[in-house]
Structures are given as structure tokens and as C-alpha cells.
């Protein structure tokens, strides 16, 4: 199921502004319908835009630890997918500074609107807020140094299509940063082997994976490797994350 494509909403200091047409747009996909495998696993329901309170997360130094490990620096451009109430959006904006950019995205209009109001209220001129789609983040090509996916991967109904469409948005040395819990997807987590297998099926290589109790589970980082595969060649991973007979091997590189 697709939602209607939404325009990019840029937020200056005091009010929401119209779309910035100077920003790069995603290249159009081929006219023929593309077919992706269905995920061989349950999908968690979206129950809340909040994983925990911001105060509790800050007491554990969660955001700073994740941003340090992801090497977030001033001047970077970062996407925060499934941004929710904006815990990472706000802190990423502070870290990348006035010369950086943060694009925050959610698929629920009411959540997106509430975050847009927060960004305007806090006068974060380097943040834009956007409505995404369940199977396509619709990110502009070659635009992001990092793409954050924090406690939301298990809610993606079409992970292979989502990851496939997200790939072109990464810059040459761009990384996807995933934070999730080590439990079954229906219980609002993603087993690490399953995560690695699904990313590998779409041509991402694992850069690192580390336990991170302060963020409720683990931190994994991936990079795009080689050409983007033809959708017809992608094979769904078994629920436990083991490589299927037609699929590639689980990547190495865990920390």
C-alpha cells in the first residue's frame, strides 16, 4: 500500500515554508512495475512515536554514544527515518551544526506535523521534515552521509523494496545506522542475523555491529556495495536470518 507522495517541508526559524525546489530530487523509477519479495517474518505494529522518554535516554547517554560511534560531524547531511517525536532529529541537528542538514521523516501525518511544530518552535533552521511512504523513503539521490533508522526497522512491511529504494540516497562513503533490540520482529526488535541477511540481500555490506544496552539492544552500520541488484534477483531471508539457497552469505565484520 502506498500513501500519496508528500512534498518536502522546510522549516525556517519562525514558520513552515514552502518546498525548496533547489534540493535534488530522486530519479524516476522505470515505468514498469517492479516486484520485490515479501518479508518472511512478522511485522511489528506501530504503537507509539516514542520508544522511551528523552530524559531516560539522555541519562544513559544514548544519542551521544550512537552519534560518536556513527562519527557524526559538523557539516554532515543526515536522514532520520522514522523520526517520531524527534529525539535523534534534535540532537543530530545540534551535532551537524549550521553547515549541516537533517531530514526527518515519518509515515504518520500527525507525527510528522507534531515534529514539524517542534522543529519550528526550537528554531532549527538546518532541519527539514518530510512525510515518507511505508515502502519508499523517497530520499534525494547522492545526498546523505548517514541514514539513521532507530527502533523502527522491525516496523517496515516491505524491507527489500524499502532498502533498495533507499540505496541511491547514500553518498560514496555514506552509512546506514540501525539501532534495534535483539528480539523477534513481532516483539519490536530484529534478530541481528536477520538484519544482516536482509541488508545483504539488497547489496549492503556490514561495517560493524556492536551491543549497545543503553539504546535497548545493538548498533549496526552498513554501506552500499557493488551495483544495486535487480529486484527480481532478490531472495527473502528465512525468519531466523540464515542465508537462503539462492541468497548470498551473511556478511562478516561484526565487532
Amino acid at each position: 500500500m502506498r500513501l500519496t507522495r508528500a512534498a518536502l517541508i522546510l522549516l525556517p526559524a519562525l514558520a513552515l515554508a514552502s518546498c525548496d525546489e533547489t534540493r535534488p530530487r530522486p530519479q524516476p523509477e522505470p515505468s514498469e512495475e517492479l516486484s520485490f519479495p515479501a518479508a518472511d517474518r512478522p511485522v511489528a505494529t506501530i504503537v507509539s512515536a516514542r520508544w522511551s522518554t528523552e530524559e531516560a535516554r539522555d541519562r544513559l547517554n544514548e544519542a551521544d554514544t550512537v552519534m560518536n560511534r556513527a562519527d557524526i560531524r559538523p557539516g554532515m547531511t543526515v536522514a532520520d527515518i522514522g523520526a517520531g517525536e524527534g529525539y535523534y532529529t534534535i540532537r543530530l541537528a545540534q551535532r551537524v551544526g549550521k553547515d549541516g542538514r537533517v531530514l526527518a521523516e515519518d509515515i504518520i501525518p500527525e507525527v510528522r506535523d507534531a515534529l514539524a511544530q517542534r522543529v519550528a518552535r526550537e528554531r532549527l533552521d538546518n532541519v527539514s521534515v518530510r512525510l515518507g511512504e511505508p515502502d519508499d523513503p523517497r530520499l534525494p539521490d547522492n545526498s546523505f552521509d548517514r541514514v539513521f533508522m532507530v527502533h523502527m526497522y522491525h516496523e517496515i512491511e516491505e524491507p527489500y523494496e524499502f532498502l533498495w529504494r533507499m540505496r541511491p540516497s547514500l553518498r560514496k562513503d555514506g552509512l546506514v545506522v540501525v539501532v534495534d533490540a535483539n528480539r523477534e520482529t513481532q516483539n519490536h526488535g530484529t534478530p541481528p542475523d536477520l538484519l544482516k541477511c536482509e541488508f545483504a540481500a539488497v547489496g549492503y555490506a556490514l561495517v560493524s555491529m556492536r551491543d549497545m544496552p543503553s539504546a535497548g539492544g545493538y548498533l549496526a552500520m552498513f554501506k552500499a556495495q557493488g551495483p544495486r541488484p535487480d529486484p527480481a534477483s532478490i531472495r527473502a531471508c528465512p525468519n531466523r536470518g540464515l542465508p537462503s539457497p539462492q541468497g548470498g552469505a551473511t556478511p562478516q565484520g561484526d565487532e
Side-chain angles (χ1 to χ4, degrees):
M1 180 183 72
R2 290 180 179 273
L3 303 176
T4 303
R5 183 176 181 180
L8 183 67
I9 302 175
L10 296 179
L11 303 171
L14 299 177
L16 303 184
S18 59
C19 296
D20 180 1
E21 296 299 335
T22 66
R23 291 181 63 81
R25 303 298 187 190
Q27 295 300 310
E29 297 294 346
S31 57
E32 65 268 18
E33 188 69 20
L34 300 177
S35 179
F36 295 85
D40 181 25
R41 58 169 170 82
V43 177
T45 56
I46 302 174
V47 295
S48 174
R50 171 181 294 184
W51 175 71
S52 179
T53 66
E54 296 196 8
E55 294 79 8
R57 297 170 85 172
D58 279 345
R59 282 197 296 271
L60 296 172
N61 203 32
E62 177 189 333
D64 280 342
T65 301
V66 170
M67 290 189 296
N68 288 342
R69 291 182 176 176
D71 194 25
I72 303 300
R73 303 184 304 275
M76 279 187 163
T77 301
V78 182
D80 184 12
I81 307 300
E85 295 180 335
Y87 175 74
Y88 273 90
T89 298
I90 304 305
R91 289 153 181 81
L92 285 167
Q94 295 166 350
R95 179 70 69 95
V96 302
K98 62 182 179 62
D99 295 325
R101 294 290 299 176
V102 177
L103 188 154
E105 183 173 289
D106 208 279
I107 64 171
I108 302 175
E110 295 80 6
V111 173
R112 184 276 315 268
D113 293 346
L115 179 55
Q117 293 170 8
R118 179 179 183 180
V119 168
R121 185 171 62 250
E122 299 194 21
R123 301 188 177 188
L124 299 175
D125 297 338
N126 61 346
V127 176
S128 57
V129 179
R130 179 176 184 160
L131 187 68
E133 295 186 359
D135 56 5
D136 185 356
R138 292 196 177 274
L139 301 177
D141 288 354
N142 192 32
S143 296
F144 296 99
D145 301 296
R146 302 288 186 269
V147 174
F148 271 52
M149 304 172 72
V150 179
H151 291 294
M152 57 76 64
Y153 185 80
H154 49 267
E155 297 172 352
I156 300 175
E157 294 183 11
E158 302 288 344
Y160 303 104
E161 181 171 2
F162 191 95
L163 294 175
W164 189 88
R165 296 188 183 280
M166 186 177 73
R167 264 191 55 146
S169 71
L170 291 170
R171 289 175 173 163
K172 180 181 178 182
D173 297 319
L175 298 175
V176 181
V177 180
V178 179
V179 176
D180 214 340
N182 184 1
R183 52 178 177 254
E184 298 299 320
T185 53
Q186 66 267 34
N187 297 323
H188 294 273
T190 308
D193 284 345
L194 179 61
L195 181 80
K196 291 185 287 186
C197 186
E198 291 186 348
F199 268 80
V202 192
Y204 292 83
L206 179 67
V207 175
S208 67
M209 178 172 281
R210 304 173 66 174
D211 289 338
M212 193 174 169
S214 64
Y218 60 83
L219 167 67
M221 292 189 286
F222 299 86
K223 64 180 180 181
Q225 187 173 65
R228 189 166 60 160
D230 184 277
S233 71
I234 299 172
R235 298 292 180 265
C237 298
N239 192 20
R240 292 295 177 180
L242 300 176
S244 61
Q246 299 89 353
T250 301
Q252 302 299 308
D254 299 41
E255 291 187 356

